Amino acid sequence: MNDELRTTAHALASGFEISTDPARLDAALIHRWLSEDSYWALGRSREKQDAAIAGSLNFGVYDSASDAQLGYARVVTDRATFGWLCDVYIAPEARGKGLGTALAAAVRDHLEPYGLRRILLATADAHEVYAKVGFAPLDRPEKWMALGSQ
């Protein structure tokens, strides 16, 4: 199945696009965003971030006119049964334009043909962004466990 995606759907404001083309990713910018500005990946090394990108299905949000990257998300998935949405980030200057919701919707829609049983994410904020595209709290969180720091 082709993982390339270019769309302006999902209420994506005119002048922006979402792509899964890994050649368009600005890995240095993504690393800076996540390691310096996110609450979940502060201090993440560039080597760790590059490995995460290499092992994931990546989504970039771009300004159509300048091709500047304005957002990022990645999914860790086997493309058969499960997906983990993580590292969702919209640049501060691009926030408030619906790009986060559009990005989450594009991820959902891109994964739909795989027939995944479950797509999870963990977030301390922006629950309303994910709820708009169908994410909900776990029905039975007591069934879930984690290995590692929480």
Side-chain angles (χ1 to χ4, degrees):
M1 187 173 293
N2 183 356
D3 275 331
E4 175 56 20
L5 170 74
R6 293 179 194 271
T7 181
T8 55
H10 314 296
L12 191 59
S14 178
F16 301 98
E17 65 179 309
I18 296 172
S19 174
T20 59
D21 181 357
R24 295 182 73 186
L25 296 173
D26 184 337
L29 178 62
I30 293 166
H31 175 254
R32 188 172 77 244
W33 283 340
L34 298 178
S35 69
E36 297 177 11
D37 192 43
S38 75
Y39 66 84
W40 65 91
L42 288 176
R44 183 182 289 169
S45 73
R46 176 64 191 267
E47 295 75 24
K48 184 78 71 176
Q49 184 60 49
D50 287 348
I53 290 170
S56 301
L57 171 59
N58 300 279
F59 294 77
V61 180
Y62 303 92
D63 179 291
S64 297
S66 69
D67 206 37
Q69 189 168 349
L70 300 172
Y72 175 73
R74 68 186 181 92
V75 178
V76 180
T77 183
D78 58 10
R79 291 177 172 84
T81 63
F82 181 79
W84 177 266
L85 174 58
C86 51
D87 288 345
V88 180
Y89 187 92
I90 300 295
E93 67 274 13
R95 293 177 187 163
K97 298 177 180 169
L99 298 178
T101 301
L103 180 55
V107 168
R108 177 201 61 205
D109 294 350
H110 187 82
L111 295 174
E112 195 276 328
Y114 296 118
L116 304 181
R117 180 174 179 203
R118 184 172 290 115
I119 303 167
L120 294 179
L121 67 90
T123 184
D125 59 4
H127 290 86
E128 68 284 352
V129 169
Y130 302 106
K132 288 177 188 176
V133 300
F135 283 90
L138 294 171
D139 286 335
R140 300 197 44 215
E142 70 277 5
K143 290 175 49 177
W144 296 88
M145 298 179 73
L147 179 65
S149 63
Q150 295 184 32

